[in-house]
């Protein structure tokens, strides 16, 4: 993982119902996130170990060894043109590309 490549976004903390309210029913004691907060939380996912199609490997490879595939299939590496510069590894945020 290269954490410096991620934007820092604060967590949306859950809030709690007041105790004198909680004793009146069996509803959850934690308040739910709003839909907007929920969507913002999903954007904090770092996609650890899985390609999330950021395109950094494609952008940084100056040898044309990374080929873009149709949407949803991400990228393909052509090692016959790779010179081992490791720019793709250094700029892959989530650890999907491993150093050999
Ligand atoms: S190591 Fe360098 S040349 Fe090889 S795929 Fe990665 S960026 Fe391209
Ligand atoms: S840099 Fe990593 S996460 Fe980004 S597209 Fe390439 S393999 Fe996927």
């Amino acid at each position: 993982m290269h954490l410096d490549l991620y934007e820092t976004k604060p967590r949306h903390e859950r809030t709690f119902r007041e105790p004198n309210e909680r004793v009146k029913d069996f509803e959850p004691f934690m308040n739910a996130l709003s839909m907007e907060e929920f969507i913002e939380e999903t954007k904090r996912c770092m996609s650890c170990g899985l390609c999330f199609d950021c395109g950094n490997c494609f952008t940084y490879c100056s040898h044309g060894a990374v080929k873009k595939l149709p949407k949803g299939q991400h990228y393909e590496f052509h090692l016959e043109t790779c010179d081992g510069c490791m720019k793709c590894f250094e700029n892959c945020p989530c650890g999907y590309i491993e150093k050999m």
Side-chain angles (χ1 to χ4, degrees):
M1 299 284 292
H2 295 113
L3 300 184
D4 52 322
L5 297 174
Y6 290 91
E7 183 185 345
T8 302
K9 292 183 182 174
R11 174 185 297 153
H12 291 87
E13 298 290 352
R14 300 275 296 272
T15 56
F16 298 93
R17 296 173 68 202
E18 291 298 327
N20 59 347
E21 288 297 318
R22 289 186 215 167
V23 296
K24 295 177 185 169
D25 55 40
F26 291 100
E27 294 300 312
F29 68 95
M30 293 180 90
N31 294 315
L33 296 178
S34 69
M35 185 54 76
E36 291 75 23
E37 290 169 333
F38 170 74
I39 291 169
E40 283 304 309
E41 276 303 290
T42 65
K43 294 176 184 170
R44 296 178 67 245
C45 172
M46 293 175 151
S47 190
C48 310
L50 290 174
C51 175
F52 63 107
D53 205 1
C54 73
N56 282 359
C57 54
F58 177 76
T59 302
Y60 283 92
C61 180
S62 53
H63 295 271
V66 183
K67 304 285 183 205
K68 202 180 263 196
L69 297 177
K71 191 163 175 57
Q73 296 177 44
H74 303 309
Y75 299 88
E76 191 171 73
F77 286 75
H78 291 258
L79 298 183
E80 66 278 7
T81 52
C82 167
D83 79 344
C85 70
M86 295 205 317
K87 287 198 178 83
C88 55
F89 164 77
E90 291 164 358
N91 291 287
C92 179
C94 61
Y96 185 70
I97 300 175
E98 291 183 347
K99 194 166 23 173
M100 304 264 301

